[in-house]
């Protein structure tokens, strides 16, 4: 998935470093699971759910198999009766579209606001229609976008708001964590996320006992109790015991690792500051979990910027190149006009940003950014 490190260069990501660093704790967690005799939904899973709920500041956290499942099960649980449409952004990697389509819902897209690259109350109001039952806001790149006004306008219209926090775990505004502000929050523990498993994992968080109970049923076949199917649309989507144990060993380090990510992005932003070629989206405060270090290239020049960085040994990626409404696999009839989304998709590039980067590597990226022309 991630290319091997360029020689004398800076890799975009390198999981081998965190795995080596955490090896001892991961092995101890493995032993604890093997010794317990429970391999799914055991004590580690239960403890992880309660630690996650406590961390985010909500009453319930429900472990599921992935961030995409967290979105799908949340949508199934929360879609108001008589509605069938999910409204979302088209620049956030397609995950909410995949989830909504899998749940059998219609998908509509709102454009994003230019500074946050997230939907806001005005772009949403522009795009809602009578069938819209759910709005998904993705805290893109780790930036906790202020959704209080979104929640207000949606609730006035009976629309449920889901926060996709897959990239923003730990981000907070005035002490409130992302995931705790809207009706439901979803997380992914894909290995490169800020809190990464050693495989797949996800979670749903909510303060609503009814929504929590609905997701709990849906993640195991629609069961109310064992072998008694109470609701349709269920599936098997469990966070397994080993992953829960691994996540528990890493959770206490999340704050420090997020701070390191922020430091990296802030240094890049400063280095690029005097450069007219690119702008790095800064991550200065705790409202940003700095999942990705994203830069904007001038229109039409992204590939040449990436080529220059590559020649300097710096690997880059693009998050994300194709907006959802242009994805061939979704075959959206008459794609909507989303000018800011399309402009962003054509200009963004992501620089290396992971807590295990060395100071030398960060310096190398900064130096290259300073001299980019
Ligand atoms: C990674 C990611 C997801 C999906 O998570 P998986 O665990 O890979 O299914 C959803 N939304 C966003 C914004 C993501 O970055």
């Amino acid at each position: 998935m991630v290319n091997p490190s360029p020689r004398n260069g800076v890799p975009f990501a390198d999981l081998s470093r965190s795995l080596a660093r955490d090896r001892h704790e991961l092995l101890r967690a493995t032993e604890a699971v093997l010794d317990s005799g429970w391999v799914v939904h055991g004590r580690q899973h239960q403890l992880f759910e309660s630690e996650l709920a406590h961390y985010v500041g909500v009453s319930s956290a429900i472990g599921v198999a992935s961030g995409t499942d967290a979105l799908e099960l949340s949508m199934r649980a929360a879609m108001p009766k008589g509605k069938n449409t999910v409204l979302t952004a088209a620049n956030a990697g397609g995950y909410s579209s995949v989830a909504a389509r899998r749940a059998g819902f219609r998908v509509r897209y709102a454009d994003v606001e230019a500074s946050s690259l997230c939907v806001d109350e005005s772009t949403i109001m522009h795009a809602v229609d009578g069938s819209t039952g759910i709005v998904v806001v993705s805290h893109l790149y780790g930036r906790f976008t202020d959704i209080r006004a979104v929640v207000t306008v949606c609730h006035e219209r009976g629309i449920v708001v889901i926060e996709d926090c897959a990239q923003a775990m730990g981000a907070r505004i005035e002490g409130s964590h992302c995931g705790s502000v809207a009706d439901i929050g979803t997380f992914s523990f894909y290995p490169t996320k800020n809190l990464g498993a050693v495989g797949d994992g996800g979670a749903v968080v909510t303060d609503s006992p009814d929504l929590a109970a609905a997701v709990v049923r849906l993640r195991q076949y629609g069961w109310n109790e064992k072998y008694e199917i109470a609701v349709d649309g269920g599936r098997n989507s469990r966070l397994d015991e080993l992953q829960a144990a691994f996540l528990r060993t890493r959770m206490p380090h999340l704050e420090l690792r997020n701070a390191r990510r922020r430091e990296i992005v802030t240094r890049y932003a400063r280095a690029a500051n005097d450069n007219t070629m690119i702008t790095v989206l800064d991550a200065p405060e705790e409202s940003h979990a700095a999942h990705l270090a994203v830069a904007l290239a001038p229109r039409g020049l992204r590939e040449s910027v990436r080529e220059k960085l590559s020649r300097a040994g710096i690997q880059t990626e693009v998050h994300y190149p194709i907006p959802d409404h242009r994805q061939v696999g979704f075959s959206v009839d008459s794609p909507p006009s989303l000018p800011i989304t399309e402009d962003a998709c054509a200009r963004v590039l992501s620089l290396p940003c992971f807590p295990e980067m060395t100071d030398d590597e960060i310096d190398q990226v900064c130096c290259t950014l300073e001299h980019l022309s």
Side-chain angles (χ1 to χ4, degrees), residues 66-68 71 92 95 138 164 166-167 188 190 193 201 320:
S66 72
T68 310
L71 284 165
Y95 307 102
S138 181
D164 179 356
Q167 302 188 351
S188 163
Y190 182 75
K193 300 283 152 100
Y320 298 91

Side-chain angles (χ1 to χ4, degrees), residues 24 35 46 84 147 208 233 373:
H24 185 67
D35 291 345
Q46 192 190 341
N84 74 344
I147 55 165
S208 156
S373 59

Side-chain angles (χ1 to χ4, degrees), residues 34 130 164 300 351:
L34 297 182
D164 179 356
L351 300 161

Side-chain angles (χ1 to χ4, degrees), residues 91-132:
N91 67 334
Y95 307 102
S96 55
S97 296
V98 167
R101 295 170 69 99
R102 227 165 52 178
F105 297 135
R106 201 171 138 252
V107 187
R108 272 175 78 81
Y109 297 104
D111 206 356
V112 293
E113 184 275 320
S115 68
S116 66
L117 299 182
C118 294
V119 295
D120 72 3
E121 61 281 9
S122 110
T123 66
I124 285 169
M125 279 306 102
H126 208 75
V128 281
D129 66 1
S131 69
T132 305

Side-chain angles (χ1 to χ4, degrees), residues 134-156:
I134 291 175
V135 164
V136 179
V137 184
S138 181
H139 298 299
L140 202 63
Y141 309 142
R143 181 182 182 278
F144 185 174
T145 190
D146 190 346
I147 55 165
R148 286 171 288 198
V150 169
V151 171
T152 304
V153 298
C154 286
H155 283 183
E156 281 165 7

